């Protein structure tokens, strides 16, 4: 994480080309830091902590929302991994 202002930014800003370059860079940096198995494991650890931490008292709607978010984030990590690996393999074949 480079800085808090960038991390908590709610909507990316820039031209379409800048946004695409930023997105590709973010995906690349993510998978350089965390491989797919590790990222899914860490996501699961976050989820377990939210449900099994005695100091956390989530109501049913909050739990349902958290589970839905987890499932969607899990799928997004898988999709990003596929796109990232496809991009890497295409670069290998074209260089």
């Amino acid at each position: 994480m480079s800085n808090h202002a960038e991390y908590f930014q709610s909507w990316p800003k820039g031209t379409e080309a800048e946004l695409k370059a930023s997105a590709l860079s973010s995906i690349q940096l993510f998978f350089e830091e965390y491989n797919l198995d590790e990222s899914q494991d860490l996501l699961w650890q976050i989820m377990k902590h939210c449900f099994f931490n005695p100091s956390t008292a989530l109501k049913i709607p909050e739990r349902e929302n958290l589970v839905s978010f987890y499932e969607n984030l899990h799928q997004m990590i898988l999709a990003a991994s596929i796109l990232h690996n496809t991009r890497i393999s295409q670069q290998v074949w074209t260089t």
Side-chain angles (χ1 to χ4, degrees):
M1 175 169 34
S2 51
N3 68 49
H4 291 293
E6 191 176 303
Y7 180 74
F8 289 114
Q9 181 177 331
S10 46
W11 192 255
K13 296 172 180 64
T15 66
E16 186 176 339
E18 290 170 334
L19 293 173
K20 182 177 179 181
S22 176
L24 291 172
S25 176
S26 293
I27 291 170
Q28 180 177 345
L29 290 172
F30 179 86
F31 286 108
E32 285 174 1
E33 187 71 26
Y34 310 99
N35 67 41
L36 182 59
D37 291 336
E38 182 183 11
S39 64
Q40 291 183 0
D41 181 59
L42 290 169
L43 183 60
W44 180 241
Q45 287 180 42
I46 291 169
M47 185 69 160
K48 286 192 309 186
H49 179 74
C50 290
F51 277 93
F52 302 117
N53 184 350
S55 66
T56 304
L58 296 174
K59 296 177 182 169
I60 291 175
E62 293 169 325
R63 286 179 182 237
E64 290 172 347
N65 188 40
L66 188 60
V67 168
S68 176
F69 183 79
Y70 166 83
E71 290 172 341
N72 284 289
L73 188 54
H74 182 268
Q75 289 299 317
M76 189 171 65
I77 290 171
L78 289 172
S81 174
I82 291 166
L83 294 174
H84 174 71
N85 291 335
T86 300
R87 183 170 170 257
I88 296 297
S89 66
Q90 287 175 347
Q91 288 176 347
V92 168
W93 290 107
T94 58
T95 57

